[in-house]
Amino acid sequence: MRTRPASVAGLALFALCILLLAFPRIADAQDILIPMDETQTNHLKAYGATFWALTQNQEAEWLLNHRGGAFLLTATEALEEELRVRNVAYEHISASASASLINEVEADGNNEAAVRLETAPDIAVYAPDQTVPWDDAVLLALTYAEVPYDMIYDREVLDGELENYDWLHLHHEDFTGQLGKFLRFRNTSWYMEKQQEAEALAEEYGFRKISALKLEVAQTIRGYVEQGGFLFSMCLGTETLDLALAAHQTDIVPEEYDNDPVDPDAREALDFGPTFAFKDFEPDLNPHSTDHSTIDTGPPPASMRDPSLDYFTLFDFSAQWDPVPTMLTQNHVSTVKGFVGQTTAFDASVVKEHVVSLAETPARDEVKYLHGTLGQGTFTFFAGHDPEDYQHFVGDPPTELDLHPNSPGYRLILNNILFPAATPERQQT
């Protein structure tokens, strides 16, 4: 019987030992779990890192209601480097432990679910050219989380460019053509520049006034959603989008803004059929008021206008039966501090029946956060201006998200950018 030379046998044995020693480390490092509970060092950048992985053709599992909505991904050196650079906490988990975790999350009677994220959505932010990130909470969130996006505005919308994007955010725009009802600023350079640019674009596209241009933009956005687009808006954009759509047959713009009077029958002529979320509201026709309609409940009364007392509560949904609202409300807390804006909260009595309320203010009959479907697409409206700046005024310094890396309010914004990445069957309400 022939035997191997001692040197060859020794080398083979040495190689086998090395393989056996390395195997446990390889097995234990096959997946990465990004916790989103209180152990997470930077919740906001965790969304950005997960989004980055999707752009690298990686898939991820979003573990709804598990550790604050944790993410499970395949371990790669590049992903780990991204997580380290972004100061995002993560844990190694073996393939067998991953399989057990998915089974546990998906078990019957467990209010958790695993949602597969497949493709990073193409993102557009509807905002004018002069907008800087700190003018808008969503722009600030995307920039801080390092999520790529394109800026588009009226021209791009009217020229059909929305079809290039999966997800659209509306800057706090006034779609009624009243320029935010900031009449008191009409002699400032920024207001005059905004008015001149809007009037010039309206004329270029054949519209007699700004309100007609904005109505066409609003109707185009509505068509985008009907065809399958994902729409997200905050603050004034939520309210005035529906106000413009409801006023498509009448004139609700005071003469101070468009040089012709309001239709005497404007309130009676409103048509709530085309609106996204709201019905039976009334426009505010006072040109000197910054209020636009009865959709907005306004800031809390003076007796309650204490940031430490103002909060809203997220509804608890069944992860396995209602995955969409569950995705949109993932957080490490259930109560979130309030914040105001030109549109602070929605009057619950004017919300359409098919629209899902995601969060409410317990002390008042109002909705802070809502979601609905229109045609093949969806829309999500979040009231208020900046989750980490209780009452933001024109000219206030920007919010520094490095000081708020675990912001629950900003988490709600970033839940929305991953929602379109979910498998189609999970995007149905």
Side-chain angles (χ1 to χ4, degrees), residues 369-417:
Y369 186 36
L370 58 79
H371 174 77
T373 59
L374 181 68
Q376 300 176 56
T378 74
F379 60 90
T380 308
F381 292 169
F382 191 15
H385 183 84
D386 186 334
E388 293 298 337
D389 186 355
Y390 181 71
Q391 193 166 8
H392 186 86
F393 293 102
V394 174
D396 277 0
T399 297
E400 295 288 344
L401 284 186
D402 272 329
L403 302 177
H404 309 283
N406 308 107
S407 168
Y410 272 93
R411 279 202 63 180
L412 296 177
I413 294 172
L414 292 171
N415 283 335
N416 282 269
I417 67 162

Side-chain angles (χ1 to χ4, degrees), residues 191-364:
Y191 184 96
M192 290 187 288
E193 179 183 353
K194 183 176 181 179
Q195 182 177 19
Q196 290 167 2
E197 288 180 355
E199 288 174 343
L201 191 63
E203 182 179 358
E204 179 183 339
Y205 278 83
F207 298 106
R208 188 172 63 85
K209 51 186 181 178
I210 299 172
S211 58
L213 169 75
K214 292 297 184 182
L215 173 59
E216 183 70 17
V217 171
Q219 291 173 331
T220 303
I221 291 170
R222 188 184 192 281
Y224 160 80
V225 176
E226 285 185 307
Q227 295 302 311
F230 295 86
L231 177 67
F232 179 77
S233 186
M234 288 187 69
C235 200
L236 192 62
T238 62
E239 178 182 2
T240 63
L241 182 66
D242 266 10
L243 186 54
L245 292 170
H248 67 99
Q249 297 175 330
T250 189
D251 187 344
I252 61 169
V253 181
E255 188 170 0
E256 288 82 352
Y257 296 104
D258 67 357
N259 299 317
D260 61 23
V262 168
D263 184 339
D265 300 317
R267 290 186 174 90
E268 292 74 19
L270 292 181
D271 174 14
F272 303 111
T275 61
F276 282 85
F278 307 112
K279 62 174 185 175
D280 303 334
F281 53 82
E282 293 189 3
D284 186 322
L285 304 178
N286 179 359
H288 301 285
S289 167
T290 55
D291 294 334
H292 281 72
S293 77
T294 56
I295 293 172
D296 178 27
T297 61
S303 61
M304 296 175 58
R305 208 169 302 166
D306 179 347
S308 67
L309 301 176
D310 189 2
Y311 64 92
F312 60 93
T313 302
L314 298 171
F315 286 108
D316 187 22
F317 296 95
S318 169
Q320 295 185 6
W321 292 100
D322 295 306
V324 170
T326 306
M327 277 186 266
L328 298 176
T329 54
Q330 288 301 284
N331 227 309
H332 52 289
V333 298
S334 59
T335 299
V336 183
K337 62 183 182 182
F339 54 100
V340 304
Q342 265 199 283
T343 302
T344 296
F346 312 123
D347 186 334
S349 68
V350 302
V351 176
K352 289 185 172 182
E353 289 77 8
H354 72 276
V355 174
V356 179
S357 295
L358 302 175
E360 66 174 1
T361 305
R364 308 169 73 192

Side-chain angles (χ1 to χ4, degrees), residues 28-36 46 49-50 53-54 58-64 66-67 69-76 79 83 89-106 113-118 418:
D28 288 341
Q30 284 185 335
D31 287 327
I32 281 178
L33 180 72
I34 303 175
M36 295 296 278
T50 302
L54 296 176
Q58 261 197 266
E59 292 185 352
E61 295 287 346
W62 195 355
L63 307 182
L64 305 184
H66 180 80
R67 298 189 66 178
F71 301 106
L72 182 64
L73 302 99
T74 301
T76 66
L79 175 59
L83 294 168
Y90 66 96
E91 302 167 8
H92 287 120
I93 183 171
S94 68
S96 59
S98 289
S100 297
L101 177 58
I102 294 294
N103 289 335
E104 174 190 331
V105 166
E106 290 280 275
V115 171
R116 178 156 296 179
L117 305 178
E118 296 184 327
L418 291 181

